[in-house]
C-alpha cells in the first residue's frame, strides 16, 4: 500500500535557532506514525544536517532538501549536488517547485536531469507539478500537468518510478489562502494516477504517493486527505507553525 505523507517545505524562512525550536516542538507533540505514514521536513540547505540529527531517532520522520543540482559535480559555484545531500543522510529532495520554475527558470528537461541525480544517489524526489491560474481558467490544466509528467518523469523505468513521490501544487493556490476544493484536488490526483497507469501500469500507479500542496491548513487538511487519490500534503506556510503542522499530520 502506498505511503501517506505530510511534508513541510520551509522555503527561505527561519534562522537555525528558530528551525531547531520548530523541530523540537513538532517532536514534543508526540506524533505516532503508523507504518504507512511518513513526515518529511524540508529546511533550507544549511540546516538539513541539524534537522536530520534532531529527528534521527524518530522512525517515520525524514528530511528533504528543497532543490539540488542537475549536474553530478564540478565547477558549479553555489550549487549543491544530490551526492552531497546523500552524504549527509538526507532522504528526499523536492524538485520542480513552481517557485524554482518561475524565479529560477527551471525547465521540465532540467528537472529530468535533477530527478536522475537524485535517484542515482539513492534519494527520493518529491516532484512538483501544477498549473498557473490562466491555465486553470482556460480549463487546460490536465494537458499542462501531463506535459510536466511526460517531460520530467517518463524517461524513468517502472523500477525507478517506485522511488518517486508526486506533489500536485496548483500555482494559484500557493500562499494565496485559496485552496483547491477537495473535488478539484481529487480530480487532478485521479488524472495523474491514470496517466501513470497508462504509462507504467496499474500496479505502479496504485503504489505512487501523490501529495496536494497549496494553502493546506488544519481546517482543510482532513477533507483533502479524505479524497481517495490524495495521499497527504506538501505544506508551506502552515509547516512553520508547530501546532498547525502537527494538526495537519494528525489529519492523515
Ligand atoms: P502554502 O502551503 O504556503 O500555500 O505553500 C504550498 C507550497 O508551496 C509547498 O511547497
Amino acid at each position: 500500500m502506498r505511503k501517506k505523507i505530510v511534508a513541510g517545505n520551509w522555503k527561505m524562512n527561519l534562522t537555525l535557532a528558530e528551525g531547531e525550536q520548530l523541530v523540537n516542538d513538532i517532536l514534543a507533540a508526540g506524533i505516532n506514525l503508523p507504518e504507512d505514514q511518513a513526515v518529511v521536513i524540508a529546511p533550507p540547505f544549511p540546516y538539513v544536517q541539524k534537522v536530520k540529527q534532531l529527528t534521527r531517532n524518530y522512525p517515520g520522520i525524514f528530511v528533504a532538501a528543497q532543490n539540488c543540482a542537475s549536474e553530478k559535480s564540478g565547477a558549479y559555484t553555489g550549487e549543491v549536488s544530490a551526492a552531497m545531500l546523500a552524504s549527509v543522510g538526507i532522504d528526499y529532495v523536492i524538485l520542480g517547485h513552481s517557485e524554482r520554475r518561475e524565479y529560477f527558470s527551471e525547465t521540465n528537461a532540467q528537472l529530468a536531469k535533477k530527478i536522475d541525480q537524485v535517484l542515482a544517489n539513492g534519494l527520493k524526489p518529491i516532484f512538483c507539478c501544477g498549473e498557473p491560474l490562466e491555465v486553470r481558467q482556460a480549463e487546460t490544466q490536465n494537458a499542462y500537468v501531463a506535459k510536466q509528467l511526460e517531460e520530467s518523469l517518463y524517461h524513468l523505468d517502472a523500477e525507478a518510478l517506485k522511488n518517486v513521490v508526486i506533489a500536485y501544487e496548483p500555482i494559484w493556490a500557493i500562499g494565496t489562502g485559496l485552496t483547491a476544493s477537495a473535488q478539484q484536488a481529487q480530480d487532478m490526483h485521479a488524472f495523474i494516477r491514470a496517466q501513470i497507469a497508462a504509462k507504467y501500469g496499474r500496479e505502479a500507479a496504485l503504489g505512487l504517493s501523490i501529495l496536494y500542496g497549496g494553502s493546506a491548513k488544519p481546517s482543510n487538511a482532513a477533507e483533502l486527505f479524505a479524497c481517495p487519490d490524495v495521499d497527504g500534503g506538501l505544506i508551506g506556510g502552515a509547516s512553520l507553525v508547530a501546532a498547525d503542522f502537527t494538526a495537519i499530520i494528525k489529519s492523515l
Side-chain angles (χ1 to χ4, degrees), residues 94-232:
I94 296 173
L95 289 178
H97 192 283
S98 58
E99 289 149 17
R100 301 287 324 163
R101 294 173 187 266
E102 183 178 353
Y103 307 137
F104 303 96
S105 308
E106 290 192 359
T107 63
N108 290 340
Q110 196 182 7
L111 290 167
K113 290 176 69 178
K114 293 190 181 202
I115 296 262
D116 289 345
Q117 285 301 321
V118 165
L119 291 171
N121 285 282
L123 306 175
K124 296 181 195 311
I126 300 175
F127 176 73
C128 303
C129 57
E131 78 287 352
L133 183 60
E134 60 274 18
V135 169
R136 171 61 64 165
Q137 284 169 338
E139 295 176 14
T140 53
Q141 66 272 10
N142 286 7
Y144 188 94
V145 169
K147 186 165 153 58
Q148 291 178 319
L149 300 178
E150 188 181 328
E151 294 185 355
S152 298
L153 294 183
Y154 285 8
H155 63 289
L156 300 175
D157 61 26
E159 201 48 41
L161 191 85
K162 284 185 186 162
N163 292 309
V164 174
V165 173
I166 291 180
Y168 169 60
E169 299 206 310
I171 300 173
W172 46 271
I174 296 177
T176 57
L178 200 71
T179 319
S181 67
Q183 192 59 54
Q184 285 172 318
Q186 169 56 26
D187 288 349
M188 178 57 84
H189 284 227
F191 172 74
I192 292 171
R193 204 178 301 287
Q195 293 293 107
I196 297 294
K199 168 79 183 165
Y200 292 98
R202 193 179 129 81
E203 200 183 321
L206 288 176
L208 177 74
S209 298
I210 308 175
L211 317 183
Y212 168 80
S215 300
K217 43 190 178 257
S219 58
N220 59 24
E223 192 191 357
L224 287 162
F225 298 168
C227 299
D229 286 291
V230 177
D231 306 311

Side-chain angles (χ1 to χ4, degrees), residues 5-14 22 26 39-45 47-48 62-67 92-100 126-128 167 169 174-175 211-216 233-241 245 248-249:
I5 301 170
V6 167
N9 175 10
W10 293 3
K11 308 191 180 183
M12 196 173 74
N13 292 296
L14 309 180
L22 173 58
I26 293 166
V39 168
V40 178
I41 300 174
F45 282 134
Y47 315 154
V48 290
F62 300 91
V63 179
Q66 298 173 16
N67 179 31
Y92 289 84
V93 184
I94 296 173
L95 289 178
H97 192 283
S98 58
E99 289 149 17
R100 301 287 324 163
I126 300 175
F127 176 73
C128 303
E169 299 206 310
I174 296 177
L211 317 183
Y212 168 80
S215 300
L234 179 53
I235 319 298
S239 77
L240 300 172
V241 180
F245 192 57
I248 292 170
I249 294 166

